Amino acid sequence: MQAAPVRASSAPPSALPPTLSVRPPSVTDALRALEGLLLRGGQRTARRNAWTAVLEDRRRAKDRREAQHVLEAVAAPGPQAT
């Protein structure tokens, strides 16, 4: 595909299409770009693995709390719900 030739326009500036405004990068965008540069390859994988381990620890803690609740309910005297 070939680009159309560019010609100078003699139209007044008000007749030209509006220019696109470019927004400055947000802090989040800048931090992600910096993170991408600093955490290449193995460091990025290590960080991802660490976060996966945190999520797994949270899941295990939740399971322990639920099991503790069940054990306490079974050990308590009185009527038992089934």
Side-chain angles (χ1 to χ4, degrees), residues 51 53-65:
W51 181 245
V54 167
L55 295 177
E56 185 65 20
D57 287 345
R58 289 179 181 175
R59 187 192 62 78
R60 277 192 239 113
K62 179 184 172 195
D63 290 345
R64 280 193 305 271
R65 283 190 306 270

Side-chain angles (χ1 to χ4, degrees), residues 9-31:
S9 174
S10 61
S14 62
L16 295 176
T19 59
L20 295 175
S21 63
V22 178
R23 67 176 180 87
S26 68
V27 173
T28 302
D29 294 338
L31 288 175

